[in-house]
């Protein structure tokens, strides 16, 4: 229904202009033509944006590309070393592979869990209950707090050896361990933290669910489709564009995760590099070990990997994302 | 090279814009005033430490400013976490502080990279180092030049929860003790406490206070004299890790989860959380909340009990005060260093907060005001300094750690942990350690 309505609006706008519209447009065109000669001032208004784009994005990016071929310790001039940083990374740096392993595991486990939870909660919140706004806010809250250092610190306390989580397990007679300082479980506490922050994709799912045509569901219900069938046969297929959008964004986000890993491991990526997420390793190399050239190379590899994942996502999307045209 | 210049120019330009912005807002904020004193003329000083140290620095600096009203000091302080990250970023961005508290472990790297200003030319003029011993000044000396004034004596010692020991009916070991004695008493702690308390925190990955002493007892150093290689053999490290594997097996040391949790976090140290009574981390004294009610004591790092064992303990310089080369106020910074080295009020304000004062005069000045624990700390340091001074078989004081040193310390810690968690055998980890350490030193 809503989509149909939007279409109508679009059609109205695209309808042939009335004579008075036409006159108005011509007047505009003439006015613009008159000003074309001395038209520098629009650029003046755009200048801050250009300064931002070139000074804060393009120049630093190209600079880091250059630095990735150098030995640069931040304090003395950079020395050209060619492909050394890249070859060292792949052939000669076990910590790099530790970080790749940790990051891939983090992405592969956290993104699907987070999206599944987001969709599940979005379905639950997609009703007309009293005080539903409050529930939505409550579920969204962790995402607002999520990036904060404070939450990561709290997480450290909760999953530490004498933390709340072990107190909780103790009720059931289970003796916990120090989840954060054991190499087998530390990464999963980070994943749990990521999954807990499902608010953003949830809100997007919720918006998507609101757009679904009600009559289709009504028809299916009348035909005897169970809620499960309706979910898998109607909701999910109709929602695939939204799912796709969330998948792409969440994968990019997960690859870039830094703060929780930094805070929870005290900046060490430990125990045994199990929480050495890629961004954390990059930061360590650049700012702690003063290997800014190497860190730049790491950054470019990350950039290419994210670009690659996104491209694959877009190609794969042709086979599973349905648009209603 | 051309690249470097363009970067600097750009940074300067953006810096200029930032300053202009700041000035603009400053001026508008105090419109009607006679023009604020330009903030850029202040001398910036940074340090890391505990709240107590911050308070002491501020108090001492206030005294300094009363006497030197022309030097305006802007103080910035934080914990150790991120301190050098921020310093590096400031240096690279052309906004280096003028004066900073420097780590003895890092001074050589920064000096060799040309970040720090040599201050030899001020010694005996505005920099009064009367009473500083040569070995102590070595802590701030890199390639023959002085780059920092040591604030105090640092020694390799264990911090002991003495009242905890006494509660278990155990006596504080003698200062002339060995690694075997350490093992024995640590095991006794576990037994007497009914398995509730391990003896000593796991030292297998602990570098400065621990393995370096052990290697020196074997006649080996941690880094080679030129700083380009490791100074110890795989056999020594193997023996070391085997000793600690044995300690863990005997419950003399805690399991790896406890050790791992304490990494970079003094508040999780096994002694601080009451899971051990001996710690190699001297930082826990004054940092741990839960041990404040315990009576602490101090012991030298144990001695080797094999034939031909040497004196392994040594004395270094606590923390340093250094000036940066880019600073235009090195002369003023040196005045402040001299003030902290000699001024009576400054010495009294700082107490033991930057280590045990470096001169006899300073130690006498603070002696009367010390807490009982502080007194024990000073006594133990004196004991070690004297023993090291008398030892005929001790190696010379270690060279300042080269670039990559902190990566190797971290590697040592992680390696010991990998063994402790059972992820790697000692033999396998040994190979990896030497491979990676050489890479870090070479690169």
């Amino acid at each position: 229904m809503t989509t149909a309505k939007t279409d109508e609006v679009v059609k109205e706008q695209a309808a042939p202009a009335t004579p008075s519209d036409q006159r108005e447009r011509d007047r505009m065109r003439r006015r613009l033509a008159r000003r074309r000669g001395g038209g520098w001032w629009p650029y003046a208004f755009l200048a801050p944006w250009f300064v931002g784009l070139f000074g804060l994005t393009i120049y630093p990016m190209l600079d880091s590309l250059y630095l990735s071929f150098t030995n640069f310790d931040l304090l003395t001039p950079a020395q050209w070393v060619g492909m050394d940083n890249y070859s060292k990374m792949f052939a000669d740096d076990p910590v790099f592979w530790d970080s790749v392993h940790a990051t891939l595991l983090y992405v592969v486990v956290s993104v699907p869990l987070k999206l599944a939870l987001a969709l599940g909660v979005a379905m639950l919140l997609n009703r007309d209950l009293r005080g539903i706004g409050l529930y939505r806010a409550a579920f969204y809250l962790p995402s607002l707090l999520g990036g904060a250092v404070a939450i990561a610190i709290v997480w450290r306390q909760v999953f530490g050896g004498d933390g709340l989580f072990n107190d909780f397990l103790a009720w059931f007679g289970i003796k916990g361990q120090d989840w954060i300082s054991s190499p087998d479980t530390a990464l999963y506490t980070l994943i749990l933290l990521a999954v807990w922050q499902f608010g953003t994709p949830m809100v997007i799912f919720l918006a998507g669910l609101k757009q679904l045509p009600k009559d289709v569901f009504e028809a299916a219900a009348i035909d005897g489709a169970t809620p499960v069938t309706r979910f898998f046969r109607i909701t999910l297929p109709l929602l695939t564009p939204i799912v796709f959008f969330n998948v792409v964004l969440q994968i990019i986000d997960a690859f870039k995760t830094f703060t929780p890993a930094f805070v929870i491991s005290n900046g060490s990526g430990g125990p045994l590099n199990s929480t050495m997420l890629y961004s954390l390793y990059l930061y360590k190399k650049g700012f702690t070990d003063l290997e800014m050239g190497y860190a730049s190379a790491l950054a470019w590899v990350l950039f290419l990997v994210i670009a690659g994942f996104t491209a694959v996502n877009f190609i794969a999307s042709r086979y599973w994302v349905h648009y209603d045209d | 090279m051309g690249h470097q210049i363009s970067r600097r120019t750009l940074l300067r330009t953006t810096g200029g814009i930032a300053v202009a912005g700041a000035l603009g807002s400053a001026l508008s904020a105090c419109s009607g005033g006679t023009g604020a004193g330009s903030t850029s003329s202040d001398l910036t000083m940074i340090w890391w430490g505990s709240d107590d140290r911050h308070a002491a620095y501020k108090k001492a600096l206030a005294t300094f400013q009363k006497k030197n009203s022309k030097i305006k000091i802007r103080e910035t302080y934080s914990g150790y976490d991120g301190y050098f990250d921020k310093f590096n970023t400031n240096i690279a961005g052309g906004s280096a502080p003028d004066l900073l508290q420097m780590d003895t472990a890092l001074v050589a790297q920064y000096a060799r990279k040309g970040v720090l200003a040599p201050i030899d030319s001020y010694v005996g003029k505005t920099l009064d180092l009367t009473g500083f011993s040569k070995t102590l000044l070595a802590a701030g000396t890199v390639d023959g030049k002085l780059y920092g004034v040591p604030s105090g004596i640092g020694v390799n010692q264990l911090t002991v929860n003495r009242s905890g020991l006494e509660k278990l009916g155990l006596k504080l070991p003698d200062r002339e003790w060995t690694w075997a004695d350490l093992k024995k008493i640590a095991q006794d702690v576990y037994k007497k406490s009914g398995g509730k308390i391990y003896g000593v925190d796991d030292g297998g990955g602990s570098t400065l206070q621990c393995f370096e002493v052990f290697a020196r007892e074997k006649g080996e150093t941690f880094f080679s004299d030129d700083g380009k290689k490791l100074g110890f053999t795989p056999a020594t490290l193997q023996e070391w890790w085997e000793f600690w594997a044995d300690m863990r097996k005997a419950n003399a040391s805690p399991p790896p989860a406890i050790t791992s949790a304490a990494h970079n976090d003094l508040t999780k140290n096994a002694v601080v959380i009451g899971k051990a009574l001996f710690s190699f981390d001297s930082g826990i004294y004054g940092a741990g909340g839960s041990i404040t009610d315990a009576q602490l004591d101090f012991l030298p790092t144990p001695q080797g009990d094999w034939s031909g064992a040497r004196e392994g303990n040594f004395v270094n310089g606590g923390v340093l005060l250094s000036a940066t080369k880019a600073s235009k106020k090195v002369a003023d910074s040196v005045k402040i260093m001299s003030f902290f080295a000699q001024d009576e009020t400054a010495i009294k304000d700082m107490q033991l907060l930057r280590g045990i004062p470096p001169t006899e005069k300073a130690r006498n000045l603070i002696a009367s005001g010390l807490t009982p624990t502080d007194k024990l700390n000073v006594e133990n340091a004196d004991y070690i300094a004297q023993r090291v001074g008398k030892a005929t078989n001790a190696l010379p004081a270690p060279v300042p750690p080269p670039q990559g040193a902190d990566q190797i310390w971290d590697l040592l810690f992680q390696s010991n942990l990998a063994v402790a968690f059972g992820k790697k055998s000692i033999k396998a980890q040994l190979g990896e350690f030497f491979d990676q350490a050489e890479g870090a030193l070479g690169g």
Side-chain angles (χ1 to χ4, degrees):
Chain A
M1 285 253 286
T2 13
T3 37
K5 219 175 197 172
T6 330
D7 282 346
E8 276 166 31
V9 174
V10 171
K11 262 177 219 141
E12 267 169 29
Q13 281 173 347
T18 61
S20 71
D21 282 344
Q22 193 57 49
R23 231 174 296 134
E24 182 68 22
R25 252 179 240 166
D26 288 348
R27 196 152 10 118
M28 261 321 232
R29 218 168 276 152
R30 275 198 300 278
R31 203 184 300 159
L32 281 176
R34 234 189 351 256
R35 292 222 166 124
R36 203 167 282 154
W40 57 269
W41 53 270
Y43 298 102
F45 282 109
L46 281 173
W49 182 81
F50 276 113
V51 169
L53 177 70
F54 289 100
L56 300 174
T57 308
I58 293 181
Y59 170 73
M61 272 185 82
L62 292 178
D63 200 33
S64 98
L65 182 62
Y66 165 79
L67 286 175
S68 76
F69 298 106
T70 66
N71 220 338
F72 179 48
D73 65 6
L74 273 176
L75 309 174
T76 47
Q79 294 159 322
W80 185 264
V81 293
M83 293 299 287
D84 275 13
N85 286 329
Y86 292 94
S87 59
K88 181 186 161 197
M89 197 183 303
F90 292 104
D92 218 18
D93 183 359
V95 185
F96 167 77
W97 290 110
D98 285 349
S99 79
V100 167
H101 176 250
T103 310
L104 285 180
L105 193 63
Y106 177 82
V107 172
V108 166
V109 178
S110 76
V111 172
L113 281 179
K114 186 177 187 175
L115 291 180
L117 191 65
L119 182 55
V121 174
M123 301 273 294
L124 288 177
L125 292 179
N126 186 26
R127 326 170 167 208
D128 296 319
L129 291 176
R130 232 148 67 108
I132 189 75
L134 203 64
Y135 294 126
R136 285 178 191 155
F139 278 104
Y140 185 64
L141 203 60
S143 298
L144 287 177
L145 304 169
V149 171
I151 292 298
I153 291 172
V154 168
W155 220 249
R156 219 166 85 191
Q157 301 298 342
V158 169
F159 289 96
D162 47 3
L164 271 179
F165 186 66
N166 282 344
D167 290 351
F168 171 73
L169 289 181
W171 288 352
F172 306 98
I174 302 168
K175 195 179 174 311
Q177 51 158 331
D178 192 330
W179 304 94
I180 282 177
S181 59
S182 161
D184 299 321
T185 54
L187 186 66
Y188 292 96
T189 62
L190 283 183
I191 289 173
L192 210 60
L193 177 57
V195 172
W196 181 64
Q197 294 160 18
F198 59 83
T200 308
M202 178 198 78
V203 167
I204 297 169
F205 276 133
L206 199 54
L209 288 171
K210 295 259 169 228
Q211 300 282 316
L212 298 185
K214 284 207 176 73
D215 46 356
V216 180
F217 288 93
E218 279 157 17
I222 291 165
D223 286 346
T226 63
V228 176
T229 319
R230 269 180 276 161
F231 175 76
F232 282 106
R233 293 292 170 88
I234 305 171
T235 313
L236 211 48
L238 284 178
L239 216 53
T240 45
I242 309 284
V243 175
F244 174 61
F245 177 78
N246 272 334
V247 165
V248 171
L249 279 197
Q250 291 304 322
I251 287 182
I252 294 174
D253 247 23
F255 267 111
K256 295 191 305 185
T257 306
F258 171 78
T259 314
F262 180 83
V263 174
I264 287 177
S265 72
N266 269 318
S268 72
L272 300 182
N273 296 333
S274 60
T275 59
M276 185 69 89
L277 294 187
Y278 198 90
S279 309
L280 175 58
Y281 185 50
L282 195 160
Y283 170 83
K284 254 185 91 142
K285 277 288 151 195
F287 292 97
T288 309
D289 299 343
L290 297 181
E291 295 176 28
M292 199 47 89
Y294 191 61
S296 296
L298 286 171
W300 275 88
V301 168
L302 178 63
F303 175 75
L304 293 177
V305 166
I306 291 180
F309 263 81
T310 310
V312 167
N313 259 326
F314 268 91
I315 294 165
S317 73
R318 285 182 207 149
Y319 305 99
W320 65 273
V321 176
H322 310 286
Y323 296 98
D324 51 353
D325 48 51
Chain B
M1 229 13 227
H3 170 81
Q4 188 63 21
I5 288 161
S6 70
R7 169 203 312 289
R8 287 234 180 94
T9 320
L10 185 92
L11 284 169
R12 211 170 292 145
T13 319
T14 47
I17 292 168
V19 167
L23 268 178
S25 57
L27 286 174
S28 59
C30 55
S31 56
T34 52
S38 164
T39 47
S40 62
S41 75
D42 291 357
L43 184 150
T44 48
M45 175 175 177
I46 61 168
W47 69 81
W48 77 86
S50 60
D51 287 345
D52 290 347
R53 192 190 272 174
H54 301 331
Y57 261 124
K58 293 178 88 156
K59 205 173 158 203
L61 286 170
T63 316
F64 177 82
Q65 301 221 270
K66 259 185 222 154
K67 296 178 185 166
N68 302 273
S69 51
K70 276 190 190 154
I71 303 175
K72 291 264 178 296
I73 304 171
R74 189 145 48 91
E75 305 152 356
T76 307
Y77 46 88
S78 66
Y80 190 80
D81 272 1
Y83 176 84
F84 279 101
D85 294 0
K86 193 176 167 196
F87 177 64
N88 295 337
T89 319
N90 282 341
I91 293 281
S95 58
D98 299 294
L99 175 63
L100 77 149
Q101 183 176 293
M102 172 54 68
D103 194 335
T104 45
L106 300 172
V107 64
Q109 295 176 37
Y110 284 111
R112 288 187 181 136
K113 284 189 192 302
V115 170
L116 304 179
I119 48 175
D120 306 78
S121 57
Y122 298 93
V123 177
K125 293 169 198 158
T126 49
L127 182 54
D128 180 3
L129 295 181
T130 316
F132 281 69
S133 72
K134 266 230 165 86
T135 38
L136 190 60
L137 286 176
T141 307
V142 182
D143 303 329
K145 282 188 183 161
L146 187 65
Y147 287 96
V149 176
S151 67
I153 297 173
V155 289
N156 306 296
Q157 61 181 3
L158 280 93
T159 306
V160 188
N161 180 345
R162 200 180 75 195
S163 45
L165 268 185
E166 282 160 0
K167 241 177 249 167
L168 299 178
L170 294 166
K171 273 207 301 203
L172 188 76
D174 189 80
R175 280 179 181 149
E176 294 295 312
W177 65 329
T178 65
W179 295 103
D181 295 335
L182 173 66
K183 183 181 177 190
K184 178 153 189 317
I185 192 159
Q187 268 181 296
D188 286 347
V189 169
Y190 186 76
K191 271 181 222 147
K192 289 268 171 79
S193 68
K196 284 200 184 108
I197 307 176
Y198 306 92
V200 55
D201 66 5
D202 189 342
S206 169
T207 320
L208 288 170
Q209 280 88 4
C210 208
F211 176 64
E212 187 160 19
V213 174
F214 181 79
R216 289 167 64 85
E217 286 167 355
K218 294 252 169 203
E220 297 169 6
T221 54
F222 198 91
F223 296 108
S224 65
D225 285 347
D226 61 3
K228 288 183 177 143
K229 279 195 217 103
L230 295 172
F232 57 90
T233 59
T236 300
L237 186 56
Q238 183 177 351
E239 195 182 328
W240 178 249
W241 281 344
E242 276 164 1
F243 174 79
W244 288 101
D246 205 33
M247 293 287 276
R248 288 186 295 267
K249 217 167 125 197
N251 288 316
S253 289
I258 289 181
T259 312
S260 163
H263 192 43
N264 292 350
D265 188 355
L266 285 172
T267 63
K268 296 274 175 68
N269 176 281
V271 172
V272 176
I273 62 169
K275 282 284 182 189
L277 297 183
F278 294 78
S279 176
F280 288 97
D281 199 329
S282 51
I284 62 165
Y285 172 40
S290 53
I291 50 163
T292 43
D293 55 335
Q295 173 62 55
L296 298 179
D297 209 331
F298 306 89
L299 284 169
T301 308
Q303 293 181 294
D305 46 4
W306 53 87
S307 78
R310 299 170 179 233
E311 173 63 63
N313 285 269
F314 55 91
V315 175
N316 65 22
V319 294
L320 304 163
L321 285 183
S322 294
T324 54
K325 206 173 201 170
S327 164
K328 289 188 183 122
K329 304 188 182 70
V330 177
D332 286 347
S333 295
V334 165
K335 268 188 204 161
I336 299 175
M337 293 179 201
S338 198
F339 169 78
F340 275 103
Q342 305 294 351
D343 185 87
E344 289 192 11
T345 53
I347 290 164
K348 280 183 183 159
D349 286 340
M350 296 313 293
Q351 294 274 344
L352 298 187
L353 289 163
R354 298 188 306 159
I356 293 153
T359 65
E360 190 89 42
K361 171 191 138 190
R363 282 197 289 271
N364 290 336
L365 269 173
I366 59 158
S368 58
L370 289 181
T371 64
T373 316
D374 281 348
K375 265 192 192 129
L376 292 171
N377 197 354
V378 174
E379 269 172 35
N380 189 53
D382 269 345
Y383 182 85
I384 295 172
Q386 282 182 24
R387 198 175 80 190
V388 170
K390 279 185 209 144
T392 50
N393 58 358
L395 295 171
V399 294
Q403 187 184 2
D406 37 0
Q407 287 181 59
I408 292 169
W409 293 327
D410 195 50
L411 184 60
L412 186 80
F413 180 85
Q414 300 291 349
S415 300
N416 180 59
L417 215 53
V419 171
F421 273 119
K423 299 278 175 195
K424 284 272 165 63
S425 72
I426 289 180
K427 276 264 154 97
Q429 191 60 47
L430 214 53
E432 271 190 31
F433 176 86
F434 276 87
D435 273 359
Q436 291 184 37
E438 273 157 29
L441 280 177

